[in-house]
Amino acid sequence: SWHRCLLMDEMPGVTHLKIGAREWAYLGRSVLVGVIAITMTFAISFIVHAFGAIADGATANAMWLLTLLTGAMFIFLIVPAVLRLSLILPAGAVDRPLGIRDAWRMSRNLGYPMLFAVLGIAIVIALTQEVLDLLLNLVSFQWYLGVYYILKSGILLVALQILSLALSIGILTGGYKIMLERGDPAGSCR
């Protein structure tokens, strides 16, 4: 619904919960992208673990380097690819046919800008969470610890997670709009 609201300038109702064919198709597309992401993660992990088996008995520094390499490969290879493939989600939200192959082809050079936007959001959300934790720790809630934990865990962290999700959806929707503005020479998305 959020993609649709952003792309079609629709206003959601008070309760915008509706499950129809569009929503089931969206769920299917989400599962497809998830399966591809898990498969890519498994492949990268398998390769790195194979090198780890070769380096069995290596020093702690070598294993630390291998772990760092795995993380870097995940962030800089898998996440941009998954973001590019995830552009089928906003297309499905506005009932436009866009397959995985077309999304990959049309989103060339969009993976890393979307990745850096997601990383920027993650940094801002993490810093905001730390500042809120610091501010809540400065205030003495010793008289009633339940209020403290409700504020910290229940309200503020949930609000930050919702904000993070909304901004991430905005990144995908923006990436989809940029992809459409570039045009599709094959005309498969119009």
Side-chain angles (χ1 to χ4, degrees), residues 39-60:
T39 303
M40 291 180 355
T41 302
F42 178 77
I44 294 287
S45 297
F46 181 77
I47 292 168
V48 171
H49 279 56
F51 284 118
I54 293 169
D56 190 26
T59 64

Side-chain angles (χ1 to χ4, degrees), residues 154-174:
I155 298 171
L156 295 175
L157 294 181
V158 169
L160 285 174
Q161 291 302 316
I162 291 170
L163 178 64
S164 176
L165 177 64
L167 291 173
S168 297
I169 288 172
I171 289 171
L172 279 181
T173 306

Side-chain angles (χ1 to χ4, degrees), residues 11-55:
M11 282 302 276
V14 176
T15 57
H16 195 65
L17 298 175
K18 173 182 110 172
I19 298 180
R22 179 184 303 126
E23 288 75 21
W24 286 111
Y26 188 91
L27 178 63
R29 289 171 178 230
S30 298
V31 168
L32 175 64
V33 171
V35 167
I36 292 171
I38 289 170
T39 303
M40 291 180 355
T41 302
F42 178 77
I44 294 287
S45 297
F46 181 77
I47 292 168
V48 171
H49 279 56
F51 284 118
I54 293 169

Side-chain angles (χ1 to χ4, degrees), residues 136 141 145-158:
L136 284 174
F141 281 109
L145 289 175
V147 172
Y148 171 76
Y149 289 110
I150 289 171
L151 281 174
K152 184 176 179 182
S153 301
I155 298 171
L156 295 175
L157 294 181
V158 169

Side-chain angles (χ1 to χ4, degrees), residues 46-128:
F46 181 77
I47 292 168
V48 171
H49 279 56
F51 284 118
I54 293 169
D56 190 26
T59 64
N61 288 337
M63 296 311 286
W64 181 84
L65 181 64
L66 219 55
T67 303
L68 185 65
L69 178 65
T70 304
M73 288 175 73
F74 177 78
I75 290 172
F76 292 106
L77 292 178
I78 294 175
V79 174
V82 169
L83 287 169
R84 286 177 63 186
L85 297 176
S86 294
L87 294 177
I88 66 172
L89 299 175
V94 293
D95 300 323
R96 289 196 175 148
L98 180 67
I100 292 285
R101 183 178 295 139
D102 289 332
W104 183 260
R105 180 179 48 79
M106 294 171 60
S107 65
R108 186 176 303 126
N109 298 327
L110 279 178
Y112 286 106
M114 288 190 295
L115 168 68
F116 293 132
V118 167
L119 289 176
I121 287 172
I123 290 169
V124 169
I125 294 293
L127 289 175
T128 303

